[in-house]
Amino acid sequence: MGPAHPRLAYGHRPLDRPRGVVRPQPLTRSPQINAAPADQIRLLDLQALDVRLTQLAHKRKSLPEHAEIVTLEGDLTQHRDLLVAAQTEESDCAREQAKAEQDVDQVRQRAARDQQRLDSGAGMSPKDLENLQREVASLAKRQGDLEDVVLEVMERRETAQERVKELTSRVESVQGKVNDAVARRDAATEVLDTEAATVTKEREIVAGSIPADLLKLYDKLRAQSGGVGAARLYQRRCEGCQLELNITELNEVRSAAPDTVVRCENCRRILVRTPESGL
């Protein structure tokens, strides 16, 4: 009669698993769902509608008018900034011109008074007359210098006014382009939104005809798999991952009952069987 424990027969006890190491558990799959073949076929209709909604959303987001508007609005902001700078310069020149003209007027008035006193000469000594003559001459030179300043400021103001006029025209032109692009974008968006609303209503009808558990699985897989939850098995190839099923997988699909919801072994999407599946 042999020993009761292997340790007695082989001189050591059985090997134990290292502490802290958990025995891996077998992979489990989602609970099996059954659905009538017609319900499974309707998943393809639902998937086509979801794909169309995704395409419409992408097209709406990728309208060329979006980039055009961004570029035009950037140009518009730049031209408006330049216009404000030109308007500020023109306003500064206007104040400077007014101040220079006021200075000229004051000198002119003083020179006129001195000239009137000089012309009358009443009660003035020769020395006073000489000093007054020098002052009148000085005022005449001062007036000439100030008038030159006025002319220089007027020229700068005219240049600024031309700049304001030019930039105002540019701003109006770019604003017109922005308005046109916005109108085209809104028109294109309205068309896409109208179609999306129609497709959404169709989806609601189709989704309402699919069993709740099957629809729930489809929506879950669609969220996990880039928007595609169900794919047709066509000529032994999954149209979800575009991989051909091997012989073992094909045999499993062939042996599955018509109402069994099968899944692609590669991408795990719902695999819908049709007469073109090549089984």
Side-chain angles (χ1 to χ4, degrees):
M1 186 172 181
H5 197 285
R7 178 176 55 186
L8 301 178
Y10 302 104
H12 59 80
R13 63 186 180 86
L15 292 176
D16 294 330
R17 291 193 305 273
R19 293 183 179 181
V21 176
V22 179
R23 182 187 298 274
Q25 298 296 322
L27 295 176
T28 59
R29 296 187 178 181
S30 302
Q32 180 61 52
I33 295 178
N34 295 327
D39 292 333
Q40 297 185 45
I41 291 292
R42 275 194 288 274
L43 280 181
L44 297 180
D45 297 332
L46 186 63
Q47 182 65 75
L49 292 171
D50 283 332
V51 168
R52 183 54 183 160
L53 286 173
T54 300
Q55 292 172 341
L56 290 171
H58 176 73
K59 188 172 183 180
R60 189 184 195 278
K61 185 178 180 180
S62 304
L63 286 172
E65 286 80 7
H66 291 312
E68 182 181 358
I69 290 171
V70 170
T71 300
L72 287 172
E73 287 182 340
D75 292 342
L76 184 60
T77 298
Q78 182 180 7
H79 283 94
R80 281 175 173 169
D81 290 344
L82 293 173
L83 176 58
V84 169
Q87 290 172 331
T88 301
E89 182 179 359
E90 193 278 332
S91 179
D92 291 343
C93 287
R95 287 193 294 271
E96 188 176 351
Q97 179 181 340
K99 177 64 170 60
E101 288 176 344
Q102 183 180 9
D103 292 342
V104 170
D105 188 59
Q106 290 176 349
V107 171
R108 184 183 294 113
Q109 292 178 10
R110 181 175 176 182
R113 289 194 299 270
D114 288 349
Q115 185 63 48
Q116 186 177 5
R117 290 176 56 198
L118 184 62
D119 292 342
S120 66
M124 299 181 65
S125 64
K127 185 173 182 59
D128 291 337
L129 290 173
E130 182 180 353
N131 290 337
L132 191 56
Q133 287 176 341
R134 283 200 295 269
E135 182 175 349
V136 168
S138 176
L139 289 173
K141 183 178 184 307
R142 173 62 175 163
Q143 179 178 334
D145 292 341
L146 289 174
E147 288 175 344
D148 289 341
V149 171
V150 171
L151 291 175
E152 187 270 334
V153 173
M154 288 178 64
E155 290 177 356
R156 285 194 285 114
R157 185 181 180 186
E158 289 176 358
T159 300
Q161 288 173 334
E162 289 296 323
R163 181 66 171 163
V164 168
K165 183 178 179 181
E166 176 188 359
L167 289 171
T168 299
S169 177
R170 289 185 184 179
V171 167
E172 292 174 351
S173 175
V174 176
Q175 183 64 66
K177 294 178 180 179
V178 170
N179 295 341
D180 176 69
V182 168
R184 285 186 281 109
R185 179 202 63 190
D186 291 346
T189 298
E190 183 178 0
V191 172
L192 294 173
D193 289 347
T194 299
E195 183 178 353
T198 300
V199 175
T200 298
K201 291 180 180 179
E202 294 178 8
R203 186 192 192 280
E204 292 174 355
I205 295 173
V206 175
S209 67
I210 297 174
D213 56 349
L214 181 60
L215 180 62
K216 181 179 180 180
L217 176 61
Y218 164 79
D219 285 334
K220 177 182 178 180
L221 295 174
R222 187 166 65 91
Q224 296 174 346
S225 305
V228 179
R232 182 176 63 152
L233 176 60
Y234 180 74
Q235 296 299 316
R236 305 181 180 183
R237 182 185 300 274
C238 170
E239 291 189 336
C241 59
Q242 301 302 319
L243 293 179
E244 186 172 339
L245 276 64
N246 60 40
I247 189 63
T248 301
E249 294 166 344
L250 284 173
N251 288 334
E252 290 181 356
V253 174
R254 287 191 185 107
S255 62
D259 65 345
T260 298
V261 177
V262 298
R263 305 271 292 276
C264 174
E265 289 293 335
N266 181 65
C267 66
R268 302 304 298 157
R269 295 181 174 97
I270 296 172
L271 205 56
V272 179
R273 291 164 286 177
T274 69
E276 294 82 23
S277 293
L279 299 176

